[in-house]
Amino acid sequence: MPIIIRFDHADEIIAHFAALVTPTLDPLLSIKYAGFVAVAAVTVYEMAIKDIFMDFATKKHPVLGSITRETFDRINGRVKYKVIKEEYVPLFGNKYSTKFAKKIQQRSSEFLRLNRRDIISSYNNIVVWRNEFAHAGRVPVTATFQEVVRSYEDGKEVIKCLNSTMVR
């Protein structure tokens, strides 16, 4: 399955909420919508990460695919960038860790130059906002609805780099 299909769920939620978030909407309600967007965003990130690793491992060897499926079925929200970079990718060898670091560095530099935003910071922000909203009931008061959506879109670049790394 193409990895971009995994983003459809969150994209649909964002499209729906974007129609509701107007300048006249109560700012507190707008921020709550941002919290729901963060939850949907991290959900699709997690599904995409699982798919990337499971597809890669299954193509390498059926036994590796089975082990990887068991391992990644239990990640449940453990999708911080640092975890992906330092725990998940290294499971498949130094070759892939190096390749991922190179792709992230390249894309991050290019994206920063073109958009003046850092994809890794955006990705990490979404994960933090999701955790605060889902586990503590706190809304992302430091970000607007539009900033949460933009961070989700920027964070997709991290997933795309991971996807292009985990290729035989």
Side-chain angles (χ1 to χ4, degrees):
M1 165 190 320
I3 219 60
I4 59 169
I5 291 173
R6 281 295 185 195
F7 299 134
D8 288 351
H9 175 70
D11 293 344
E12 290 168 3
I13 289 170
I14 289 168
H16 177 73
F17 285 162
L20 301 174
V21 176
T22 63
T24 59
L25 183 68
D26 177 359
L28 184 56
L29 191 53
S30 176
I31 290 172
K32 287 181 182 183
Y33 284 146
F36 287 117
V37 167
V39 170
V42 174
T43 299
V44 298
Y45 286 173
E46 180 182 323
M47 290 185 313
I49 290 165
K50 286 179 179 182
D51 284 351
I52 290 165
F53 287 121
M54 287 190 277
D55 289 350
F56 172 78
T58 300
K59 288 176 185 172
K60 278 280 196 186
H61 194 278
V63 174
L64 180 60
S66 179
I67 292 167
T68 301
R69 184 167 285 100
E70 286 296 316
T71 301
F72 284 93
D73 270 348
R74 295 183 297 252
I75 67 171
N76 296 331
R78 285 190 29 92
V79 293
K80 289 182 180 177
Y81 173 75
K82 183 177 180 177
V83 172
I84 294 168
K85 181 183 173 202
E86 296 177 6
E87 293 179 31
Y88 298 157
V89 177
L91 290 172
F92 299 93
N94 191 46
K95 170 184 171 183
Y96 295 100
S97 292
T98 302
K99 188 175 174 185
F100 182 62
K102 188 176 185 179
K103 284 185 179 287
I104 282 287
Q105 196 283 321
Q106 248 177 348
R107 185 62 184 135
S108 188
S109 294
E110 178 185 12
F111 199 89
L112 186 60
R113 184 176 44 80
L114 294 172
N115 301 290
R116 301 188 190 281
R117 294 188 308 273
D118 179 46
I119 62 173
I120 296 170
S121 293
S122 293
Y123 180 91
N124 285 333
N125 286 341
I126 281 289
V127 174
V128 167
W129 294 329
R130 177 261 182 208
N131 290 345
E132 287 181 358
F133 188 74
H135 297 295
R138 288 190 299 265
V139 294
V141 294
T142 58
T144 66
F145 175 82
Q146 291 77 14
E147 289 170 325
V148 171
V149 171
R150 188 173 48 237
S151 289
Y152 159 67
E153 292 295 336
D154 295 354
K156 286 180 182 179
E157 297 300 317
V158 171
I159 303 298
K160 291 174 185 175
C161 287
L162 178 63
N163 190 47
S164 65
T165 296
M166 302 308 296
V167 177
R168 281 189 62 176

